[in-house]
């Protein structure tokens, strides 16, 4: 097993080399990486099968689905890399100012250097992160969860073959081979080696990184996302949005975890919600949603009584906490008290209520009459994203290429002195 310290040293040495490559060279490397990934399909699937077998019975079915790779998913990963190659290069002049003394000052986007990513059991993050970091001109050091290590290692092996074919240093993409907590702590404290740390995973991982990191760290991911069904609204639209936000992929951070319903519409809406999410899904052989109801909702439909923690839990499963509120103001106040700042939505026919909600709710993404599931780099036109930032500095929301850059000032003169 290669020591994490050596992996960091190699990445640090590769970073200035990567910074000198131009757009065409980076795009060629990405195309080679995508091709190598597809050529290595058999090896990647074999490694993933071992991960799946080892994880069986230890993680939930929803999390197993996140871990599983198929030929279609590998092709999707390769296509994602090609999509990054097609994006505009984030290296650019952001602002240009000419001073009265003749100095020309350019604020110029530049690579971070070494970006470390700590993530859990999602093998596709491996290729997404590598592609974005490379296009942004940075080396990346990946530290995946132990459940997905074999899969991630096989993916990185393939990506490195593509890098070599394009004449890039292998250390542009590295994977930490130590899957114990010690390696995560080592990345968090790698001052002088890691320029940016991005954790992608559950609340425990995010909290550990934010509290323990001595390198710059971006808080990402945890999503206690709310949908508020207002009065007045289109009930059928609301049902469709809630169903999509909760059930299309409940294991991801932009899935809905809490439903707030205005009291004037609750009696008409909640029975139809139960029919759609519970009874109809059960009849179709799908997993029904467990509705955890506050007392006012429980007085209208049957379900599980909501416990004290249910409105502060990222379930990542077919579970939905439901609360009846008296107004859009109460909905916004509840969100302020319980949200993680990820994504919230209002379904309403009132422009006034929509305007209030978008101003009062302080999350990275605020929707009017649309599902929270759109909080995604690809859906926002950024290509695949590095993560969803729930903080305000230096990035917020889906982190695409531009959010992976720093900047410096380049000043051109002709002999000026001060």
């Amino acid at each position: 097993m290669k020591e994490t310290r050596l992996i960091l040293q190699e990445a640090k040495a590769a970073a200035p080399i990567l910074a000198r490559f131009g757009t065409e060279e980076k795009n060629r490397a990405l195309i080679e990486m995508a091709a190598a990934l597809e050529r290595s399909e058999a090896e990647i699937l074999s490694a993933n099968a071992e991960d799946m077998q080892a994880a069986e019975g230890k993680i939930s079915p929803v999390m197993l689905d996140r871990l599983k790779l198929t030929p279609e998913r590998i092709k999707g990963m390769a296509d994602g890399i090609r999509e990054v190659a097609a994006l505009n290069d984030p290296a650019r002049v952001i602002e240009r100012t000419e001073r009265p003394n003749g100095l020309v000052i350019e604020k110029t986007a530049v690579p971070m250097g070494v970006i470390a990513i700590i993530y859990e059991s999602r093998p596709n993050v491996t290729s997404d992160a590598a592609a974005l970091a490379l296009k942004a001109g940075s080396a990346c050091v990946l530290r995946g969860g132990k459940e997905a290590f074999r899969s991630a290692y096989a993916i990185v092996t393939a990506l490195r073959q593509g890098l070599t074919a394009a004449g890039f240093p292998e250390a542009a993409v590295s994977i930490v081979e130590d899957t114990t907590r010690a390696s995560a702590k080592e990345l968090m404290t790698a001052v002088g080696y890691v320029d940016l740390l991005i954790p992608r995973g559950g609340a425990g991982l995010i909290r550990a990184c934010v509290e323990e990191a001595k390198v710059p760290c971006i808080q990402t991911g945890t999503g206690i996302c709310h949908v508020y069904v207002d009065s007045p609204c289109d009930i059928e639209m609301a049902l469709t949005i809630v169903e999509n936000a909760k059930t299309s992929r409940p294991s991801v951070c932009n899935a809905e975890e809490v439903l707030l319903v205005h009291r004037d519409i609750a009696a008409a809406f909640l029975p139809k919600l139960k029919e759609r999410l519970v009874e109809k899904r059960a009849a179709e052989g799908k997993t029904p949603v467990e509705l955890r109801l506050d007392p006012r909702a429980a007085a209208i439909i049957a379900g599980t009584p909501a416990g004290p923690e249910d409105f502060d839990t990222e379930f990542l499963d077919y579970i939905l906490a439901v609360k009846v509120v008296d107004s859009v103001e109460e909905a916004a106040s509840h969100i302020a008290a319980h949200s993680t700042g990820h994504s919230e939505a209002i379904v309403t026919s009132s422009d006034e209520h929509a305007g209030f909600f978008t101003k009062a709710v302080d999350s990275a993404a605020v929707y009017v009459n649309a599902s929270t599931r759109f909080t995604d780099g690809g859906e926002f036109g950024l290509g695949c994203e590095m993560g969803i930032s729930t903080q305000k500095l230096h990035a917020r929301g889906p982190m695409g290429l531009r959010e992976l850059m720093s900047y410096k000032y380049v000043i051109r003169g002709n002999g000026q002195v001060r």
Side-chain angles (χ1 to χ4, degrees), residues 11 41 121 139 143 200-201 211 259 271 324-325 361 381-382 386 395 406:
E41 178 185 300
S121 55
R143 196 275 187 188
R200 290 189 61 170
E211 291 175 356
L259 171 66
V324 175
V325 297
V361 172
L382 306 176
M386 188 68 85
S406 183

Side-chain angles (χ1 to χ4, degrees), residues 64-380:
L64 275 173
D65 179 65
R66 291 176 74 164
L67 174 59
K68 185 178 182 179
L69 290 175
T70 63
E72 292 75 23
R73 287 186 176 181
I74 292 173
K75 184 182 185 304
M77 290 159 60
D79 288 343
I81 295 174
R82 296 185 181 102
E83 288 169 7
V84 172
L87 295 172
N88 291 332
D89 196 319
R92 68 200 190 284
V93 174
I94 301 169
E95 295 174 3
R96 185 180 185 277
T97 303
E98 186 168 347
R99 301 293 297 151
N101 62 4
L103 286 178
V104 176
I105 303 173
E106 293 181 339
K107 183 179 181 181
T108 306
V110 296
M112 284 283 179
V114 176
I115 301 174
I117 304 99
I118 302 177
Y119 58 105
E120 294 176 343
S121 55
R122 290 181 67 184
N124 64 296
V125 173
T126 306
S127 60
D128 287 356
L132 285 166
L134 188 81
K135 181 82 176 208
S138 288
C140 70
V141 177
L142 303 160
R143 196 275 187 188
K146 61 183 179 181
E147 296 89 354
F149 177 75
R150 298 175 188 86
S151 305
Y153 190 87
I155 292 167
V156 169
T157 300
L159 297 177
R160 284 185 150 204
Q161 292 170 3
L163 286 168
T164 301
F168 275 55
E170 274 192 344
V173 179
S174 304
I175 185 166
V176 173
E177 298 181 23
D178 177 6
T179 59
T180 69
R181 290 184 179 180
S183 66
K185 185 71 174 286
E186 197 166 351
L187 292 183
M188 294 179 206
T189 57
V191 177
Y193 291 97
V194 172
D195 296 290
L196 178 65
L197 173 65
I198 303 174
R200 290 189 61 170
L205 170 62
I206 308 298
R207 184 169 54 252
C209 288
V210 170
E211 291 175 356
E212 299 180 31
K214 298 188 186 307
V215 299
C217 175
I218 289 194
Q219 188 170 337
T220 66
T222 307
I224 300 178
C225 302
H226 297 72
V227 175
Y228 166 56
V229 176
D230 189 33
S231 178
C233 79
D234 180 328
I235 287 183
E236 284 304 312
M237 177 196 291
L239 289 169
T240 299
I241 288 172
V242 171
E243 180 178 29
N244 177 263
K246 179 69 261 182
T247 67
S248 61
R249 201 171 179 194
S251 65
V252 295
C253 61
N254 59 20
E256 176 193 8
E257 303 291 18
V258 178
L259 171 66
L260 306 174
V261 183
H262 193 283
R263 66 181 182 189
D264 291 347
I265 209 166
F269 179 79
L270 289 177
K272 293 185 177 183
L273 176 81
K274 184 171 181 287
E275 180 184 2
R276 180 85 71 99
L277 296 192
V278 182
E279 295 154 9
K280 183 179 178 183
R281 287 182 63 83
E284 293 174 349
K286 299 176 181 177
T287 303
V289 175
E290 179 186 348
L291 301 177
R292 298 193 180 175
L293 310 172
D294 84 330
R296 297 171 77 181
I300 300 171
I301 58 173
T304 305
E309 305 299 323
D310 285 331
F311 292 98
D312 295 293
T313 300
E314 186 183 29
F315 298 112
L316 302 176
D317 205 342
Y318 291 98
I319 302 169
L320 183 64
V322 182
K323 179 180 176 67
V324 175
V325 297
D326 291 329
S327 64
V328 64
E329 291 83 5
E330 184 183 349
S333 295
H334 178 94
I335 291 169
H338 300 276
S339 170
T340 53
H342 194 296
S343 301
E344 329 296 346
I346 181 174
V347 185
T348 185
S349 302
S350 166
D351 290 341
E352 180 183 352
H353 289 182
F356 173 86
F357 190 86
T358 58
K359 290 177 182 176
V361 172
D362 187 22
S363 291
V366 183
Y367 293 85
V368 177
N369 295 331
S371 170
T372 58
R373 289 280 288 110
F374 286 103
T375 308
D376 173 86
E379 296 294 338
F380 278 23

